[in-house]
Amino acid sequence: MSTPIRAIAAGNWKMNGTVASTAEIEALVAGLGSEDPGCDVMICPPATLINIFAQIALGSRVEIGAQDCHANETGAHTGDLSAEMLAEAGATTIIVGHSERRQDHFENNETVRAKAEAAWRAGLKAIICCGESDEQRKAGEALEVVASQVVASLPEGATPENTTIAYEPIWAIGTGKTPTAADVAEMHANIRTTLNKIIGDTANEMRILYGGSVKPANADELMSVDNVNGALVGGASLKAEDFLGIIAAYKD
Ligand code: PEP
């Protein structure tokens, strides 16, 4: 019998936030207080804010993560940041393979796998994102596409401790559209089975997050779907009040 998976609500701020946004982290820390919210909580701000947010969140229930890293530790990679640099700044986790990175920066599964390995090399955890496009879903290819992304993006050595998977249908990101609970259940079961094939029973302990237009109003329903072990939240993580509304889905 496997232990229940502790969920995580992870906020991806994308390219939003300045030093003035420290007020939101302060409000999140204060809103959570010391009582167990029933899930882990993380904010991934732009890299410029990781250090200041990590200092504010120190000793609180909020972890700070990063949104991307380069696969190498050092070198001639203008504008890039290594996992080691992000760890030094205070990140505990790095999101890799977000669909915006895959689209805007032409990242493929191989790049994503190397970035997840880089996170581990720096002693950090990786959140590996996957998800189908609207065309792929309409063509009935969603399950196959996502399974093949998971197979090709997951490095050897992945464990529930060092890796989380985030399923984010591209068409649901920032659109206000969400899949039905039945579609989420089908996809998360598909990901679990795929992980089982790669890493065996240990995959039963690995977190699989849902992401795509999660809001306080739909969090209860989406977070109670089988094999959904938390949320990766974009827009609704920018305001502490909204994010706390999502985290509330995990209160007893
Ligand atoms: C995301 O980009 O990770 C995301 C889920 O965005 P949103 O919640 O705004 O759809």
Side-chain angles (χ1 to χ4, degrees):
M1 168 102 176
S2 59
T3 41
I5 301 177
R6 183 168 169 90
I8 184 166
N12 170 16
W13 277 25
K14 312 191 186 193
M15 200 171 70
N16 296 294
T18 62
V19 171
S21 324
T22 50
E24 292 303 328
I25 287 294
E26 283 161 357
L28 182 61
V29 166
L32 288 169
S34 56
E35 224 176 277
D36 183 359
C39 66
D40 292 341
V41 177
M42 183 165 67
I43 291 290
C44 303
T48 48
L49 296 175
I50 289 174
N51 191 249
I52 187 167
F53 279 21
Q55 287 178 45
I56 293 168
L58 199 68
S60 79
R61 292 199 166 269
V62 182
E63 270 181 69
I64 302 300
Q67 301 173 15
D68 178 47
C69 65
H70 194 279
N72 294 358
E73 189 173 346
T74 55
H77 304 292
T78 303
D80 280 319
L81 295 170
S82 71
E84 285 74 7
M85 292 168 179
L86 298 165
E88 187 179 62
T92 63
T93 303
I94 306 179
I95 299 171
V96 296
H98 190 284
S99 59
E100 287 152 14
R101 300 285 320 170
R102 290 179 187 257
Q103 279 173 350
D104 299 353
H105 299 272
F106 313 107
E107 293 187 7
N108 58 26
N109 293 325
E110 205 179 311
T111 323
V112 174
R113 195 171 65 233
K115 289 183 176 203
E117 284 173 331
W120 303 347
R121 185 189 64 221
L124 305 185
K125 294 167 273 182
I127 297 179
I128 301 177
C129 300
C130 56
E132 82 285 357
S133 67
D134 194 30
E135 296 70 43
Q136 288 165 332
R137 176 151 290 267
K138 285 183 176 140
E141 296 165 356
L143 295 173
E144 199 186 310
V145 164
V146 170
S148 69
Q149 282 177 340
V150 171
V151 169
S153 304
L154 194 79
E156 214 175 296
T159 68
E161 288 72 40
N162 65 19
T163 302
T164 290
I165 304 295
Y167 166 59
E168 300 206 302
I170 299 169
W171 52 271
I173 294 179
T175 59
K177 294 184 202 159
T178 53
T180 63
D183 285 343
V184 174
E186 183 183 41
M187 182 59 81
H188 279 238
N190 170 53
I191 294 172
R192 184 78 67 203
T193 307
T194 305
L195 290 170
N196 281 135
K197 283 186 195 145
I198 311 171
I199 61 169
D201 285 352
T202 184
N204 295 334
E205 323 280 323
M206 189 174 277
R207 283 166 165 164
I208 306 173
L209 312 185
Y210 168 77
S213 296
V214 179
K215 308 260 178 294
N218 61 20
D220 271 343
E221 187 189 9
L222 289 166
M223 296 305 107
S224 63
V225 172
D226 268 2
N227 284 305
V228 173
N229 314 117
L232 183 54
V233 184
S237 69
L238 291 169
K239 291 272 162 239
E241 193 185 341
D242 294 338
F243 200 40
L244 286 165
I246 290 169
I247 293 163
Y250 285 101
K251 271 259 172 242
D252 311 319

